[in-house]
Amino acid sequence: MAINPFKPTAGKMPPILIGRQSIIDDFSEALINGVGAPGRIMLVTGQRGFGKTVMLTEFRRIAKAQQWETIAETASPGLVSRLVTVLAPSGMRLNQADISPSISIPGIATASLGQAHFSAESNPLTLRNALNKRLESKKIRKGKGILITIDETQAASHEDLVAIATAVQHIITDADESDVPDDEKKGVAIVFAGLPYMINDLLDNEVTTFLRRALRRELDNVPLPDVKNAYLETVADSGKSISESDALEAARRSEGYPYMVQLVGYYMWQSAQRRGSSIITTDDVAAGVADALLAFDDAVCAPALDGVTSAERLFLKAMAMDSPQVTRIGDVVERTRRSRSWVSKYRAILIKDKLIQPAGHGQVEFAVPHLGEYLRSL
């Protein structure tokens, strides 16, 4: 039985990482170029559905192929504690054991971890020691190291981010100051992935200023010709066919939004499969787009509005009246019955959070596909 080649599940590796090769090259080359290479500390941002989790999966695959150890984490309470647990060899004792209450971490002596997590003061030292211990292990070959990927970074606590940033900075400095030849130095690479506003929150923190030196990569829409070609190739590889014109129409309807690209591909392929056909027709594309939009609303549009204030929602609803066309700022002033300075303030906030984007002089549009239509449907 033929298997659908499109993978719209969050974090599932799609058949082709279209439009992402330059970012992949930046990371891969950084591992090869040694301690201090810019791509060894990377910030990857993008809206939901832009493929951040997929990128982290690909980075770990690349690192493993280059014989690096990899650790995958998602930001949530206890992040640093979990990293130390994974890193620490059996019998390693944690520092700062005078804080209460005590808990036991598998494979490590019982230690005191105030509030069931490390204090900001002890975190950097503890994580630094755990990283150094692992790097000293003979299991990690000369010139190799440890890759840590952290997804949903916007959910990380201030204390955990400070601890991680401080520890990694010390590890890099330790390697720089060692007498080991550059090609034999072991190192740490770390990739943070999260929503666009994460960048501002991270870089505004005076303690994590070293992240300003990180390589910043923002995942954007994929060019439509690349999407069309990906549809043609992926469909052909699966044993079906689609015309150039239908592949282009599917690409247009996806708007180059990576998750939507996968959804449209999945549902149009499935439509042909249900008919028992090896040809994806115009009707299959139309059916695929309709099903994809329903799934997209639930997976992307609804979460995109989580945390939006009532004032921001008022602004967005005013724009939704024009979607998918652009909106004049003057119309937002009129529809919201607010002052021009109020509109300017929330325009700036929503652009910063990548929910809307400038669309020419005095105009804005939604940065998330279909978000305007979704707001209207509510």
Side-chain angles (χ1 to χ4, degrees):
M1 179 180 174
I3 297 175
N4 195 316
F6 295 95
K7 310 296 180 189
T9 304
K12 187 73 174 175
M13 189 63 68
I16 303 172
L17 282 158
I18 50 175
R20 305 294 187 238
Q21 194 57 50
S22 64
I23 301 175
I24 291 169
D25 290 343
D26 287 336
F27 175 77
S28 182
E29 290 163 2
L31 296 189
I32 296 168
N33 289 335
V35 173
R40 288 197 177 190
I41 304 174
M42 189 179 286
L43 301 175
V44 178
T45 62
Q47 282 293 353
R48 298 187 188 281
F50 266 67
K52 299 181 296 296
T53 304
V54 169
M55 287 303 304
L56 296 185
T57 303
E58 177 66 1
F59 287 165
R60 291 193 299 273
R61 187 196 65 77
I62 290 168
K64 287 175 183 175
Q66 294 192 29
Q67 298 177 306
W68 278 55
E69 285 197 6
T70 65
I71 299 173
E73 262 298 346
T74 299
S76 62
L79 172 60
V80 170
S81 304
R82 294 195 301 275
L83 287 174
V84 174
T85 302
V86 172
L87 287 163
S90 176
M92 176 181 173
R93 291 181 178 274
L94 296 168
N95 291 340
Q96 304 294 330
D98 57 341
I99 307 169
S100 60
S102 294
I103 67 169
S104 180
I105 298 178
I108 309 176
T110 297
S112 299
L113 311 166
Q115 306 302 312
H117 63 74
F118 297 88
S119 71
E121 292 76 25
S122 67
N123 261 339
L125 293 174
T126 304
L127 183 58
R128 177 185 179 184
N129 289 350
L131 282 165
N132 274 325
K133 286 283 186 183
R134 179 61 71 91
L135 289 171
E136 289 167 5
S137 166
K138 292 181 180 178
K139 291 181 180 179
I140 297 180
R141 297 172 54 183
K142 293 177 180 178
K144 307 300 180 183
I146 303 165
L147 165 66
I148 300 171
T149 63
I150 299 175
D151 206 355
E152 301 290 351
T153 305
Q154 72 280 349
S157 71
H158 172 86
E159 291 78 10
D160 277 345
L161 286 180
V162 169
I164 292 166
T166 307
V168 171
Q169 187 171 14
H170 279 301
I171 296 296
I172 293 170
T173 302
D174 292 344
D176 285 341
E177 294 175 352
S178 70
D179 295 328
V180 178
D182 282 351
D183 62 345
E184 294 183 9
K185 288 178 179 176
K186 298 179 182 181
V188 170
I190 186 161
V191 183
F192 300 93
L195 297 173
Y197 67 79
M198 172 195 82
I199 284 289
N200 302 300
D201 291 347
L202 282 176
L203 299 187
D204 285 347
N205 183 339
E206 72 283 357
V207 189
T208 55
T209 49
F210 98 103
L211 285 173
R212 294 180 189 277
R213 302 197 302 273
L215 199 61
R216 283 183 257 170
R217 290 293 179 260
E218 185 170 347
L219 302 181
D220 209 341
N221 292 53
V222 181
L224 296 190
D226 291 346
V227 178
K228 182 200 76 171
N229 290 335
Y231 280 150
L232 289 169
E233 293 170 14
T234 305
V235 168
D237 289 345
S238 74
K240 295 190 188 299
S241 64
I242 184 172
S243 70
E244 288 252 355
S245 60
D246 284 337
L248 180 58
E249 175 61 15
R252 285 192 184 121
R253 297 301 299 274
S254 78
E255 299 184 48
Y257 198 98
Y259 183 54
M260 192 65 172
V261 170
Q262 294 295 326
L263 285 172
V264 171
Y266 179 88
Y267 286 113
M268 71 181 185
W269 193 97
Q270 206 61 33
S271 177
Q273 182 73 1
R274 286 173 185 156
R275 294 188 298 104
S277 174
S278 62
I279 300 172
I280 295 176
T281 66
T282 302
D283 288 343
D284 292 321
V285 172
V289 168
D291 287 342
L293 285 172
L294 291 174
F296 190 87
D297 283 350
D298 290 340
V300 176
C301 292
L305 295 174
D306 287 347
V308 169
T309 67
S310 58
E312 291 162 2
R313 187 179 285 265
L314 179 63
F315 189 112
L316 293 172
K317 282 184 175 179
M319 285 181 59
M321 295 172 67
D322 300 314
S323 188
Q325 306 304 317
V326 300
T327 298
R328 292 172 53 248
I329 288 297
D331 289 338
V332 178
V333 173
E334 184 178 326
R335 292 166 186 169
T336 59
R337 299 181 181 180
R338 297 292 191 273
S339 67
R340 191 164 283 274
S341 61
W342 183 95
V343 170
S344 294
K345 172 187 174 181
Y346 286 101
R347 172 186 178 276
I349 290 172
L350 292 166
I351 288 175
K352 180 181 176 182
D353 288 347
K354 299 297 174 75
L355 287 173
I356 68 173
Q357 59 195 16
H361 182 66
Q363 297 178 321
V364 287
E365 63 185 357
F366 286 98
V368 179
H370 202 243
L371 184 57
E373 293 90 326
Y374 175 73
L375 276 164
R376 282 209 308 274
S377 75
L378 298 178

